[in-house]
Amino acid sequence: MKKLTALLTTLALALSLTACGPKAPAASSGSGTPAASSNAPGDSSAQPADDGYTSLDDFILWNEDGTLTTTGRDATGQNAVVSSGKYEASKIGRTIIENGGNAVDAAVAVAFTLGLVEPNATGLGGGGFMTMRSAETGEIKFINFRECAPAAATPDMWQVDAEGKVIGSQNMSGGKAVGVPGTVAGMLYALENYGTMSRDEIVAPIIELAEKGFTVTPTLSADMNNTYDKLMLYSESGKIFLKDVDGILLPYDVGDTFVNKDYAKTLRLIAKDGADVFYKGEIAEAMVKAVQKYGGLLTMEDLANYQVEVMEPVHGTYRGYDIYSSPSPSSGGTIILEILNILENFDVPSMEHDSAEKQHLVGSAFAMAYADRGEYMGDTKYVDVPVNGLANKDYAAKLAAKIDMDTAMTNVLPDDPWMYEHEDTTHFSVADKEGNIVSVTFTVNGYFGAAVAADGYGFILNNEMGDFNVGAGHPNSIAGGKTPLSSMSPTIIMKDGEPFAAIGSPGGTTIIATVAQICSNLIDHGMTMQEAVDAPRISGFRDTTLNYESRFSSETIAEMEAKGWTMNASDEFNRSFGSVNAVRYAEDGTLDGAGDPRRDGKALGF
């Protein structure tokens, strides 16, 4: 009956596609074996399970009812730990280090693996940031491989209605949503300058996985179902991310084996010809053709001109710990420091993590810091941003003085940091015993990006243009070559010159709140890495309204409401609160890794 309903839904879609948007089928929680695919050779396809084959080995990710497990996500290691949003990526990253590679080699392998197994959140058609530490030199560098606007992009490139909203979601799907991708350039730059292995060595196990197939999880299946409309509207994407059942494209079921031979082909081309094939060769031509087919502005010149940028990370301190995170064009590192600087004015370590006293302070800090973010942050190559002022401790003390411990803040407006002046996604962390650390957050922005795919190459393109503000006159307005504002915050924490932790998260603007809370959990409350990741979180920064995971006690919520907060309950573990995959250096010298149970995260060590 379920399959019949899906078939009828798809038939209805085919008839109504030009009139109005079809409704996506309900998310499946089944784990039945799929029918054999009739996709053309080289295309992605669902395959029947082979003698119980699963790419998850003995890792139990979901329960019989389809809900994700909340235990077994952590790992320790004497030599190294890799923690990512997918078991398969962590496994391949660990194998790279076991075979003699360093943390950067492992990170590049993890990134390319996530492009295969987590295409709903990231991939070759996206971009992001890397914060890395070299044990040999002690240097901490930031690599910016974020997407940028095509040269022809302008603030009026989208049609808007009378209320200033983009008509037809042109900023979120289709060709005009696509920015110039940076992931391939960024990863290959890191490999060539900081790694030890060849491209062939890095991609070999990923190619094998792409051709053998990986197991579809409840998270991926649900995202395929929830973006079914979009994937069907763009045929090249539907051919990759939907399975062919008797000539009809349907979302994958939980437990299906997803084969992506086109992705394997793409990795072989990258291994052979490097970044040139992606930015100047046949893959570039396929991307431009796809984007322009759907009305976009991407050109071969945009791709050929893309440049990775090596920068100094934002640096600040919190209770004696050094925090290194993302500079502009991300707002993340700066605003995280602003939040932590505000909290530093209070005796947070004496408070219970889940107390109303602590959460009131955190919510108040969020309100003020996010107000500043909206007012001031943008790409510093195009606008003046008071970065030093926003991260200044005296400025934070001024903001902290505004907090009334008994009353929620209302009508929070941005302050003036200038007087102190002297940005769905995935994250992974790799660390080894020598102190080499790589913290990477990268994305295609929304689930399955713009839903525009390079035909025959097995990956989706980003919808990063949607991160710009609509219209002119804002620090984050569109300009050709400009990078949109981001909250991505791959972060490294040091203590007395020694490595302490690598953290980060997906989650859009909630990334900042999530990373700040993890920092506090580790530093203020002395949690292990998995305890810090598992602890319940809050999010929100407007109109005295906070969302919270329902593991907070009823007493805490009642106290918060008495202070004037509007408290909105969410699930016990909710993916909208981020998905932190992180590593901590424990006092006994072991590496303490955590995967986030809010999604598919898993840490592996050895």
Side-chain angles (χ1 to χ4, degrees), residues 58-110:
D58 59 355
F59 173 46
I60 306 300
L61 179 60
W62 66 89
N63 301 303
E64 289 185 2
D65 63 359
T67 59
L68 296 179
T69 57
T70 57
T71 58
R73 305 305 190 95
D74 59 328
T76 58
Q78 297 297 323
N79 299 293
V81 166
V82 180
S83 180
S84 80
K86 289 286 185 174
Y87 169 83
E88 298 92 340
S90 296
K91 178 183 176 181
I92 287 176
R94 180 180 65 178
T95 299
I96 291 291
I97 297 181
E98 288 175 331
N99 291 341
N102 65 15
V104 173
D105 296 320
V108 174
V110 169

Short mmCIF file of all heavy atoms in Angstrom, two decimals, residues 58-110:
data_model
loop_
_atom_site.label_atom_id
_atom_site.label_comp_id
_atom_site.label_asym_id
_atom_site.label_seq_id
_atom_site.Cartn_x
_atom_site.Cartn_y
_atom_site.Cartn_z
N ASP A 58 29.23 -2.69 12.10
CA ASP A 58 28.45 -3.07 13.29
C ASP A 58 27.94 -1.86 14.08
O ASP A 58 27.46 -1.99 15.20
CB ASP A 58 29.28 -3.97 14.22
CG ASP A 58 30.58 -3.31 14.69
OD1 ASP A 58 30.90 -2.19 14.22
OD2 ASP A 58 31.29 -3.92 15.50
N PHE A 59 28.05 -0.67 13.48
CA PHE A 59 27.54 0.54 14.15
C PHE A 59 26.02 0.58 14.03
O PHE A 59 25.47 0.52 12.92
CB PHE A 59 28.17 1.77 13.51
CG PHE A 59 27.60 3.09 13.98
CD1 PHE A 59 27.40 3.34 15.33
CD2 PHE A 59 27.29 4.09 13.07
CE1 PHE A 59 26.88 4.56 15.76
CE2 PHE A 59 26.77 5.30 13.49
CZ PHE A 59 26.56 5.54 14.83
N ILE A 60 25.33 0.67 15.14
CA ILE A 60 23.87 0.73 15.17
C ILE A 60 23.45 2.18 15.22
O ILE A 60 23.59 2.84 16.26
CB ILE A 60 23.28 -0.04 16.37
CG1 ILE A 60 23.81 -1.48 16.39
CG2 ILE A 60 21.76 -0.02 16.31
CD1 ILE A 60 23.48 -2.28 15.16
N LEU A 61 22.93 2.71 14.12
CA LEU A 61 22.58 4.13 14.02
C LEU A 61 21.13 4.40 14.33
O LEU A 61 20.78 5.48 14.80
CB LEU A 61 22.92 4.65 12.62
CG LEU A 61 22.60 6.11 12.33
CD1 LEU A 61 23.35 7.05 13.28
CD2 LEU A 61 22.92 6.46 10.88
N TRP A 62 20.23 3.43 14.06
CA TRP A 62 18.82 3.67 14.32
C TRP A 62 18.16 2.45 14.94
O TRP A 62 18.63 1.33 14.82
CB TRP A 62 18.08 4.11 13.06
CG TRP A 62 17.98 3.10 11.95
CD1 TRP A 62 17.01 2.16 11.76
CD2 TRP A 62 18.89 2.96 10.84
NE1 TRP A 62 17.25 1.45 10.62
CE2 TRP A 62 18.39 1.92 10.03
CE3 TRP A 62 20.05 3.62 10.46
CZ2 TRP A 62 19.02 1.51 8.86
CZ3 TRP A 62 20.69 3.21 9.30
CH2 TRP A 62 20.18 2.17 8.52
N ASN A 63 17.07 2.74 15.64
CA ASN A 63 16.30 1.70 16.31
C ASN A 63 15.29 1.07 15.35
O ASN A 63 15.13 1.53 14.21
CB ASN A 63 15.57 2.30 17.52
CG ASN A 63 16.51 2.93 18.51
OD1 ASN A 63 17.42 2.27 19.02
ND2 ASN A 63 16.32 4.21 18.80
N GLU A 64 14.60 0.05 15.81
CA GLU A 64 13.64 -0.64 14.96
C GLU A 64 12.52 0.29 14.48
O GLU A 64 11.95 0.08 13.41
CB GLU A 64 13.04 -1.84 15.70
CG GLU A 64 14.03 -2.98 15.90
CD GLU A 64 13.39 -4.20 16.53
OE1 GLU A 64 12.15 -4.14 16.78
OE2 GLU A 64 14.10 -5.19 16.77
N ASP A 65 12.21 1.31 15.29
CA ASP A 65 11.15 2.24 14.89
C ASP A 65 11.65 3.36 13.99
O ASP A 65 10.91 4.28 13.63
CB ASP A 65 10.45 2.82 16.12
CG ASP A 65 11.38 3.66 16.99
OD1 ASP A 65 12.59 3.77 16.65
OD2 ASP A 65 10.91 4.22 18.00
N GLY A 66 12.93 3.32 13.60
CA GLY A 66 13.49 4.31 12.70
C GLY A 66 14.08 5.53 13.39
O GLY A 66 14.65 6.39 12.71
N THR A 67 13.95 5.64 14.71
CA THR A 67 14.55 6.77 15.42
C THR A 67 16.05 6.55 15.58
O THR A 67 16.52 5.41 15.71
CB THR A 67 13.90 6.96 16.79
OG1 THR A 67 14.08 5.75 17.57
CG2 THR A 67 12.41 7.25 16.65
N LEU A 68 16.80 7.64 15.60
CA LEU A 68 18.24 7.54 15.74
C LEU A 68 18.63 7.14 17.15
O LEU A 68 18.02 7.59 18.13
CB LEU A 68 18.90 8.87 15.39
CG LEU A 68 18.75 9.36 13.94
CD1 LEU A 68 19.45 10.70 13.77
CD2 LEU A 68 19.30 8.34 12.95
N THR A 69 19.65 6.32 17.27
CA THR A 69 20.19 5.99 18.58
C THR A 69 20.90 7.21 19.16
O THR A 69 21.41 8.05 18.42
CB THR A 69 21.18 4.82 18.48
OG1 THR A 69 22.23 5.18 17.56
CG2 THR A 69 20.50 3.56 18.00
N THR A 70 20.94 7.30 20.48
CA THR A 70 21.58 8.45 21.13
C THR A 70 22.83 8.06 21.90
O THR A 70 23.42 8.88 22.60
CB THR A 70 20.60 9.14 22.08
OG1 THR A 70 20.12 8.20 23.05
CG2 THR A 70 19.41 9.71 21.32
N THR A 71 23.25 6.81 21.77
CA THR A 71 24.47 6.35 22.44
C THR A 71 25.40 5.74 21.41
O THR A 71 25.03 5.52 20.26
CB THR A 71 24.14 5.31 23.52
OG1 THR A 71 23.45 4.20 22.92
CG2 THR A 71 23.24 5.91 24.60
N GLY A 72 26.62 5.47 21.84
CA GLY A 72 27.60 4.83 20.96
C GLY A 72 28.19 5.77 19.92
O GLY A 72 28.79 5.30 18.94
N ARG A 73 28.08 7.06 20.13
CA ARG A 73 28.61 8.01 19.14
C ARG A 73 30.05 8.43 19.44
O ARG A 73 30.71 9.02 18.59
CB ARG A 73 27.73 9.26 19.10
CG ARG A 73 26.24 9.01 18.84
CD ARG A 73 26.01 8.21 17.58
NE ARG A 73 24.60 8.18 17.23
CZ ARG A 73 24.01 9.01 16.37
NH1 ARG A 73 24.72 9.92 15.76
NH2 ARG A 73 22.73 8.91 16.12
N ASP A 74 30.54 8.15 20.65
CA ASP A 74 31.85 8.62 21.06
C ASP A 74 32.93 7.60 20.72
O ASP A 74 32.65 6.46 20.33
CB ASP A 74 31.86 8.90 22.56
CG ASP A 74 31.50 7.67 23.38
OD1 ASP A 74 30.70 6.84 22.89
OD2 ASP A 74 32.00 7.53 24.51
N ALA A 75 34.18 8.03 20.87
CA ALA A 75 35.33 7.16 20.68
C ALA A 75 36.54 7.81 21.31
O ALA A 75 36.62 9.04 21.41
CB ALA A 75 35.60 6.90 19.20
N THR A 76 37.48 6.98 21.75
CA THR A 76 38.76 7.49 22.23
C THR A 76 39.87 6.89 21.39
O THR A 76 39.69 5.87 20.72
CB THR A 76 39.00 7.14 23.71
OG1 THR A 76 38.94 5.72 23.87
CG2 THR A 76 37.94 7.79 24.60
N GLY A 77 41.02 7.53 21.40
CA GLY A 77 42.16 7.03 20.66
C GLY A 77 43.45 7.50 21.26
O GLY A 77 43.52 8.61 21.79
N GLN A 78 44.46 6.66 21.20
CA GLN A 78 45.79 7.05 21.65
C GLN A 78 46.54 7.81 20.57
O GLN A 78 47.41 8.64 20.87
CB GLN A 78 46.58 5.81 22.06
CG GLN A 78 46.00 5.05 23.23
CD GLN A 78 45.97 5.86 24.52
OE1 GLN A 78 46.90 6.65 24.80
NE2 GLN A 78 44.93 5.70 25.30
N ASN A 79 46.21 7.52 19.31
CA ASN A 79 46.96 8.10 18.20
C ASN A 79 46.20 9.20 17.46
O ASN A 79 46.77 10.22 17.10
CB ASN A 79 47.32 7.00 17.21
CG ASN A 79 48.20 5.94 17.82
OD1 ASN A 79 49.34 6.20 18.16
ND2 ASN A 79 47.66 4.73 17.99
N ALA A 80 44.91 8.98 17.24
CA ALA A 80 44.12 9.96 16.49
C ALA A 80 42.64 9.66 16.67
O ALA A 80 42.25 8.54 17.01
CB ALA A 80 44.47 9.95 15.00
N VAL A 81 41.82 10.68 16.44
CA VAL A 81 40.36 10.54 16.40
C VAL A 81 39.83 11.33 15.22
O VAL A 81 40.28 12.46 14.96
CB VAL A 81 39.70 11.02 17.71
CG1 VAL A 81 38.19 11.19 17.53
CG2 VAL A 81 39.97 10.05 18.86
N VAL A 82 38.92 10.72 14.50
CA VAL A 82 38.20 11.40 13.42
C VAL A 82 36.73 11.38 13.79
O VAL A 82 36.16 10.33 14.06
CB VAL A 82 38.41 10.68 12.07
CG1 VAL A 82 37.65 11.40 10.96
CG2 VAL A 82 39.88 10.56 11.73
N SER A 83 36.11 12.55 13.81
CA SER A 83 34.68 12.64 14.13
C SER A 83 33.98 13.41 13.03
O SER A 83 34.32 14.57 12.76
CB SER A 83 34.46 13.33 15.47
OG SER A 83 33.08 13.40 15.76
N SER A 84 33.01 12.78 12.39
CA SER A 84 32.29 13.43 11.30
C SER A 84 30.82 13.11 11.37
O SER A 84 30.37 12.34 12.23
CB SER A 84 32.87 12.97 9.95
OG SER A 84 32.35 11.70 9.58
N GLY A 85 30.07 13.66 10.41
CA GLY A 85 28.63 13.45 10.38
C GLY A 85 28.20 12.10 9.85
O GLY A 85 27.01 11.80 9.85
N LYS A 86 29.14 11.27 9.41
CA LYS A 86 28.82 9.96 8.87
C LYS A 86 29.88 8.95 9.28
O LYS A 86 31.08 9.22 9.20
CB LYS A 86 28.73 10.02 7.34
CG LYS A 86 27.51 10.76 6.80
CD LYS A 86 26.25 9.92 6.98
CE LYS A 86 25.06 10.59 6.34
NZ LYS A 86 23.86 9.74 6.38
N TYR A 87 29.41 7.74 9.65
CA TYR A 87 30.32 6.67 10.03
C TYR A 87 31.32 6.37 8.92
O TYR A 87 32.52 6.22 9.16
CB TYR A 87 29.50 5.41 10.36
CG TYR A 87 30.34 4.16 10.50
CD1 TYR A 87 30.99 3.87 11.71
CD2 TYR A 87 30.50 3.28 9.44
CE1 TYR A 87 31.78 2.74 11.83
CE2 TYR A 87 31.29 2.14 9.56
CZ TYR A 87 31.92 1.87 10.75
OH TYR A 87 32.71 0.76 10.87
N GLU A 88 30.84 6.27 7.68
CA GLU A 88 31.71 5.89 6.57
C GLU A 88 32.85 6.90 6.38
O GLU A 88 33.98 6.52 6.07
CB GLU A 88 30.91 5.78 5.26
CG GLU A 88 29.82 4.73 5.28
CD GLU A 88 28.47 5.27 5.73
OE1 GLU A 88 28.44 6.35 6.38
OE2 GLU A 88 27.45 4.61 5.44
N ALA A 89 32.54 8.18 6.55
CA ALA A 89 33.57 9.22 6.40
C ALA A 89 34.60 9.13 7.52
O ALA A 89 35.81 9.26 7.27
CB ALA A 89 32.92 10.60 6.37
N SER A 90 34.13 8.93 8.75
CA SER A 90 35.07 8.78 9.87
C SER A 90 35.95 7.55 9.68
O SER A 90 37.15 7.57 9.97
CB SER A 90 34.30 8.69 11.19
OG SER A 90 33.59 9.89 11.45
N LYS A 91 35.35 6.48 9.17
CA LYS A 91 36.10 5.23 8.95
C LYS A 91 37.20 5.44 7.90
O LYS A 91 38.35 5.02 8.11
CB LYS A 91 35.14 4.13 8.50
CG LYS A 91 35.81 2.80 8.19
CD LYS A 91 34.80 1.78 7.69
CE LYS A 91 35.45 0.48 7.28
NZ LYS A 91 34.46 -0.50 6.76
N ILE A 92 36.86 6.07 6.78
CA ILE A 92 37.87 6.29 5.75
C ILE A 92 38.94 7.26 6.24
O ILE A 92 40.14 7.07 5.97
CB ILE A 92 37.20 6.78 4.45
CG1 ILE A 92 36.46 5.60 3.78
CG2 ILE A 92 38.22 7.39 3.49
CD1 ILE A 92 35.69 5.96 2.54
N GLY A 93 38.55 8.29 6.98
CA GLY A 93 39.54 9.20 7.54
C GLY A 93 40.50 8.50 8.48
O GLY A 93 41.72 8.74 8.46
N ARG A 94 39.96 7.63 9.33
CA ARG A 94 40.81 6.88 10.26
C ARG A 94 41.77 5.96 9.48
O ARG A 94 42.95 5.86 9.81
CB ARG A 94 39.95 6.05 11.21
CG ARG A 94 40.77 5.23 12.22
CD ARG A 94 39.88 4.42 13.14
NE ARG A 94 39.13 3.39 12.41
CZ ARG A 94 38.30 2.53 13.01
NH1 ARG A 94 38.11 2.59 14.32
NH2 ARG A 94 37.66 1.62 12.29
N THR A 95 41.26 5.31 8.44
CA THR A 95 42.09 4.42 7.64
C THR A 95 43.25 5.18 6.99
O THR A 95 44.38 4.68 6.91
CB THR A 95 41.24 3.74 6.54
OG1 THR A 95 40.21 2.96 7.17
CG2 THR A 95 42.09 2.84 5.66
N ILE A 96 42.99 6.39 6.53
CA ILE A 96 44.05 7.21 5.93
C ILE A 96 45.18 7.44 6.93
O ILE A 96 46.37 7.32 6.59
CB ILE A 96 43.48 8.55 5.43
CG1 ILE A 96 42.55 8.35 4.22
CG2 ILE A 96 44.59 9.55 5.12
CD1 ILE A 96 43.25 7.91 2.96
N ILE A 97 44.85 7.76 8.16
CA ILE A 97 45.88 7.99 9.18
C ILE A 97 46.58 6.68 9.53
O ILE A 97 47.80 6.64 9.69
CB ILE A 97 45.28 8.65 10.43
CG1 ILE A 97 44.72 10.03 10.08
CG2 ILE A 97 46.34 8.78 11.53
CD1 ILE A 97 44.12 10.78 11.25
N GLU A 98 45.82 5.59 9.64
CA GLU A 98 46.43 4.28 9.92
C GLU A 98 47.43 3.90 8.83
O GLU A 98 48.43 3.22 9.11
CB GLU A 98 45.34 3.22 10.02
CG GLU A 98 44.49 3.31 11.28
CD GLU A 98 43.34 2.32 11.29
OE1 GLU A 98 42.85 1.96 10.20
OE2 GLU A 98 42.92 1.92 12.39
N ASN A 99 47.18 4.36 7.61
CA ASN A 99 48.07 4.04 6.49
C ASN A 99 49.22 5.03 6.33
O ASN A 99 49.93 4.99 5.33
CB ASN A 99 47.27 3.98 5.19
CG ASN A 99 46.33 2.79 5.14
OD1 ASN A 99 46.50 1.82 5.88
ND2 ASN A 99 45.34 2.86 4.27
N GLY A 100 49.39 5.91 7.33
CA GLY A 100 50.54 6.79 7.32
C GLY A 100 50.25 8.23 6.96
O GLY A 100 51.17 9.07 6.97
N GLY A 101 49.00 8.56 6.66
CA GLY A 101 48.65 9.93 6.34
C GLY A 101 48.58 10.80 7.58
O GLY A 101 48.52 10.30 8.71
N ASN A 102 48.59 12.12 7.38
CA ASN A 102 48.46 13.02 8.53
C ASN A 102 47.02 13.51 8.65
O ASN A 102 46.12 13.07 7.92
CB ASN A 102 49.45 14.18 8.43
CG ASN A 102 49.19 15.10 7.24
OD1 ASN A 102 48.11 15.08 6.62
ND2 ASN A 102 50.17 15.94 6.92
N ALA A 103 46.79 14.44 9.57
CA ALA A 103 45.42 14.90 9.84
C ALA A 103 44.81 15.60 8.63
O ALA A 103 43.60 15.50 8.38
CB ALA A 103 45.42 15.84 11.05
N VAL A 104 45.62 16.30 7.85
CA VAL A 104 45.09 16.97 6.65
C VAL A 104 44.71 15.95 5.59
O VAL A 104 43.66 16.06 4.95
CB VAL A 104 46.12 17.98 6.10
CG1 VAL A 104 45.65 18.55 4.76
CG2 VAL A 104 46.32 19.11 7.10
N ASP A 105 45.55 14.94 5.38
CA ASP A 105 45.19 13.86 4.46
C ASP A 105 43.84 13.27 4.83
O ASP A 105 42.97 13.07 3.97
CB ASP A 105 46.25 12.76 4.49
CG ASP A 105 47.61 13.19 4.00
OD1 ASP A 105 47.66 13.95 3.01
OD2 ASP A 105 48.61 12.78 4.61
N ALA A 106 43.68 12.98 6.13
CA ALA A 106 42.42 12.40 6.60
C ALA A 106 41.26 13.35 6.37
O ALA A 106 40.17 12.93 5.97
CB ALA A 106 42.53 12.04 8.08
N ALA A 107 41.49 14.65 6.63
CA ALA A 107 40.41 15.63 6.48
C ALA A 107 39.94 15.71 5.03
O ALA A 107 38.74 15.80 4.76
CB ALA A 107 40.88 16.99 6.97
N VAL A 108 40.87 15.69 4.08
CA VAL A 108 40.49 15.76 2.67
C VAL A 108 39.70 14.52 2.29
O VAL A 108 38.68 14.60 1.58
CB VAL A 108 41.74 15.92 1.79
CG1 VAL A 108 41.37 15.85 0.31
CG2 VAL A 108 42.44 17.24 2.10
N ALA A 109 40.12 13.37 2.77
CA ALA A 109 39.38 12.13 2.50
C ALA A 109 37.99 12.18 3.11
O ALA A 109 37.01 11.76 2.49
CB ALA A 109 40.17 10.93 3.03
N VAL A 110 37.89 12.69 4.33
CA VAL A 110 36.58 12.82 4.98
C VAL A 110 35.67 13.74 4.16
O VAL A 110 34.49 13.44 3.94
CB VAL A 110 36.73 13.34 6.42
CG1 VAL A 110 35.38 13.72 7.01
CG2 VAL A 110 37.39 12.29 7.30
#
